[in-house]
Amino acid sequence: MKQLIVTIIGKDKPGLVEQLSDTVYFNHANWLSSSLSQLGGQFAGIIQIDVADKHFVSLRQALTDIEALQIHIVEDHTQTVTPSVAQQLTVTGNDRRGIVKEVTCHLTQLGVNIAKLKTETKSAPNWGYPIFEAEFQLQTPPEISVTMIQQQLEQLADDLTIDIETLS
C-alpha cells in the first residue's frame, strides 16, 4: 500500500469534489482525509489517499488527467513520529501586515511545528476596522510549556489577543 498526499488547485466550479472522489473510488483507492477550500474563486486543497501498489499508476494518471485541476502527488514516507503535545492557538487582533510572519517566526524559534493554519479577516462594524483571526494547530515539543509560548507571542503587540488550549 502507498499513502499519497495530493495537492490540488483550479478554478472553482460545481462538481470538482465529486470528480475527485469518483477518480479515487474508481481507481480502487481510499480517501483518508482532506482539507478543501474555495479561496478567491479558486478551489484548493490537499487529500491523503491510500492505494494498493498495483493501482498506483492508474490512479496517478487518472488524477493528472482531470483537466480542470492542477494536481501534485507525493508519496508519504513518514516512518517515525516525533513526540509532541497538540495545542490550539488563536491569535486575534486589528488586521495589519505581518501578523502571520511575526507569529510563525516566534513559533519556529521555540521549535513548534504548525500542523494546520486557518486565517480570516472579518469586518468589525462596531470598531470601524477589520479584525484578523488566525487559528493554529500546533505540535509542540514536550519541554515547551504553554506559558513559554504565551510569553513569546504576547511580546508581539498590545492589540493581539493570544489564546492557547492544550488538545487531548
Side-chain angles (χ1 to χ4, degrees), residues 10 19 27 64 71 75 86 100 107 114 139 143 154 156:
Q19 189 174 12
N27 285 277
T64 57
I71 306 272
E75 288 185 49
V100 173
L107 293 173
I114 299 168
Q139 296 170 332
E143 65 274 9
E154 285 180 347
L156 293 177

Side-chain angles (χ1 to χ4, degrees), residues 148-167:
M148 290 172 72
I149 297 170
Q150 188 95 28
Q151 288 173 343
Q152 277 284 322
L153 296 179
E154 285 180 347
Q155 296 175 28
L156 293 177
D158 292 337
D159 67 339
L160 292 179
T161 302
I162 308 296
D163 294 311
I164 303 174
E165 174 186 339
T166 300
L167 304 174

Side-chain angles (χ1 to χ4, degrees), residues 14-48:
L16 287 177
V17 176
E18 179 185 16
Q19 189 174 12
L20 282 166
S21 65
D22 282 352
T23 302
V24 169
Y25 177 80
F26 289 119
N27 285 277
H28 310 282
N30 187 24
W31 184 304
L32 299 175
S33 62
S34 62
S35 179
L36 307 170
S37 295
Q38 188 242 20
L39 298 167
Q42 295 294 307
F43 176 73
I46 187 165
I47 306 168
Q48 183 181 20

Side-chain angles (χ1 to χ4, degrees), residues 93-122:
N94 298 331
D95 186 36
R96 63 176 169 74
R97 183 173 174 258
I99 295 173
V100 173
K101 182 203 178 321
E102 293 167 1
V103 172
T104 58
C105 179
H106 282 275
L107 293 173
T108 300
Q109 289 172 359
L110 290 168
V112 174
N113 187 42
I114 299 168
K116 189 172 186 178
L117 170 60
K118 179 182 178 187
T119 64
E120 184 176 23
T121 303
K122 301 176 184 178

Side-chain angles (χ1 to χ4, degrees), residues 72-83:
H72 182 75
I73 302 168
V74 296
E75 288 185 49
D76 181 7
H77 295 290
T78 306
Q79 297 295 325
T80 58
V81 177
T82 305

